Amino acid sequence: MNPPAGLDLVESALTIVGACGRSDLAERLGQTRDRLLDPSVRVLVVGEFKQGKSELINALLIAPVCPVDEDVATAVPTVISGADAVSAEVVHEGALEGQPPDAERRTTVPVEELARFVSESGNPGNRDGVARAEIGLPRQLLAGGLVLVDTPGVGGLGSVHTARTVAELPRADAVLLVSDASQEYSEPEMDFLRKATTLCPNVAGVLTKTDLYPQWRRIAELDRRHLVAAGIEADLFPVSSSLRAHATRTDDTELNAESGFPELIAFLHERVAGQAAQLFRRSVATDILSVTEQLTMALRTELTALQDPDNSQALMDELEAARQRADGLRRNTSRWQQVLGDGVQDLSADIDHDLRDRTRHIARNAEAAINESDPLKVWDQFSDWLYQQVAQAVADNFVWTTERARWLAGQVAEHFAADSHAVPPEMVFGDATAGLERAMDMTEVDGGGAGIGTSLLVGVRGSYGGLLMVGLLTGLAGMMLFNPLSVGAGVLMGAKAMKEDRDAKLKRRQSEANLALRHYIDDVVFQVGKDSKDKLRMVQRTLRDHFAALAEQMSRSVNDSVQAAQRAAKIAVADRELRVRELKGRLGEIATLRAQATALMSAVGHRL
């Protein structure tokens, strides 16, 4: 396999940095090299149940790696990456006793038995506690670092599964939304695409099962119109996995082209993997330019002091001013730290308000629905609707949090230094569903004796009072206790008692339902709010540590420049010539490296 583009520049930079004794810069370049050597490009394959996600992945890889059947639905994520040989592992949730919390429990399984762990039929309700399955496969499509993730199907794209998928979007390089050709995009699918385009650089739709639906071209055109109307820039690829499989078996090139897969594969190669490679190269160029700038400062200072000793005082004055600027970046009163602190406080308040506002809106609609119906009759449907609405609100809040956090990172980078090649670090935003999963479930509504027998008993009790009262009054007129008037009064009083009893019990059930609703919403806000605050603290620490490390590197570079100037003033005249030649040679190497990094940056800029 060819080495990643830019790796030779990083190795050259590491050699120069090591010769200059800058271990801090060497550590930074080491991280850059690690990113280059592991250029994973994650592609999430998402969609509702039975839309053909697993079959699509199998057709892409020309291998039955994901279980496909009429009664089989993917229950846990399946990650497929390139490998020298076929392998399969199951990663279980939680660590073993005595192990660190982040330790993974892995079990190697035969690929043909994977369905027992990843499908709903083999592992109903994920009773085995599987976090994900990982498959290694020797395929050209995966050789460049492409990783396909088959996600669990979701009903209506509004469940907790969807919120979990949304949490994966910031870490994904591309998203493929799979929808079959039986109907045009639904509103939940369009809403998911809006979220995806906000958090992920590459989003595309895949229209599957075109061989089963003759009207797929009309559906594809309707989907494209929906995308344009929503302002979503996403390609749409109509495909047939069945045609692809048949074309592979018969080695039929024309049939393979008709399946639509060549266009999808080209998108993954050129747009997704290609753009990720360009971003990797831009990161490499940025790091090298920053490192060479700091190395050049000390070397050029010493060279200037050696060649022009009479101007040493002016040089020291310039260095002292540079030292003050660098120390200013390190102090807690620095502008970038103020922007970070104020930004996190504002963001925390805004995110908490956004979550409360969304859940209050849901609560108002839910209370209206409860007060207009009998909770006992609709409780299951109502609970499912409420869970979906809350999951949708939490996912929307997560999207907004991520978007604002990235904006804040850009603001901090801008205030850190306008011309120092400072870029925001990569940030991990955690799981959007952790708080939802910790929140208590809705409590059941007590029927409160709502059966027919109880109602009849209440009616009989009311009718007896009416019958007896009117019977006694009419008895004064010489009529019998049981007469048409007393019987009619009994019927009326019994019906009235039954109605009042039903109304009272209905009001009680509605009150219980509203109380359960408020308890659930309060618990969701409490749990999800805690997660949001934790995420923001993590963002704050990540940004603080990243830019503090850059400030420390810049401060050390200035201090090295001061020390170099002081050494130059003390060096013997006989040794100056040799040191000047050595410095010029080192500066020439750095200039060459800097020119190559600049050329790489320019090439990347034109392609992005």
Side-chain angles (χ1 to χ4, degrees), residues 345-493:
Q345 288 184 7
D346 293 344
L347 187 54
S348 179
D350 290 345
I351 289 169
D352 182 69
H353 179 270
D354 178 77
L355 177 63
R356 291 180 181 276
D357 182 64
R358 293 180 190 276
T359 52
R360 284 180 63 190
H361 180 72
I362 294 172
R364 284 195 294 268
N365 291 338
E367 287 176 355
I370 288 173
N371 295 332
E372 293 175 359
S373 61
D374 184 351
L376 188 63
K377 297 179 180 179
V378 300
W379 193 245
D380 290 340
Q381 299 93 322
F382 174 81
S383 298
D384 291 341
W385 171 84
L386 181 64
Y387 290 147
Q388 289 192 358
Q389 292 296 309
V390 170
Q392 182 82 7
V394 171
D396 290 340
N397 181 258
F398 175 83
V399 171
W400 194 66
T401 302
T402 305
E403 196 174 6
R404 284 287 302 275
R406 286 176 172 174
W407 174 85
L408 176 60
Q411 292 294 108
V412 174
E414 182 179 338
H415 283 86
F416 179 81
D419 57 351
S420 64
H421 303 289
V423 295
E426 295 181 2
M427 293 179 290
V428 177
F429 296 96
D431 187 356
T433 63
L436 273 180
E437 293 172 349
R438 291 197 307 271
M440 65 178 187
D441 292 331
M442 290 279 288
T443 56
E444 294 290 336
V445 175
D446 184 10
I452 296 177
T454 304
S455 297
L456 288 176
L457 182 61
V458 170
V460 169
R461 188 182 300 120
S463 64
Y464 175 76
L467 175 68
L468 183 62
M469 179 179 63
V470 175
L472 291 174
L473 290 175
T474 55
L476 298 176
M479 299 178 67
M480 298 179 60
L481 179 65
F482 291 95
N483 59 72
L485 291 177
S486 65
V487 171
V491 171
L492 290 175
M493 294 294 290

Side-chain angles (χ1 to χ4, degrees), residues 8 67 84 123 127 136 179 186 196 210 236 340 383 390 489 502 504 539:
D8 55 339
D84 294 331
N123 182 18
R127 64 187 178 192
S179 179
S186 63
T210 57
L236 183 66
L340 175 59
S383 298
V390 170
R502 283 198 303 269
V539 168

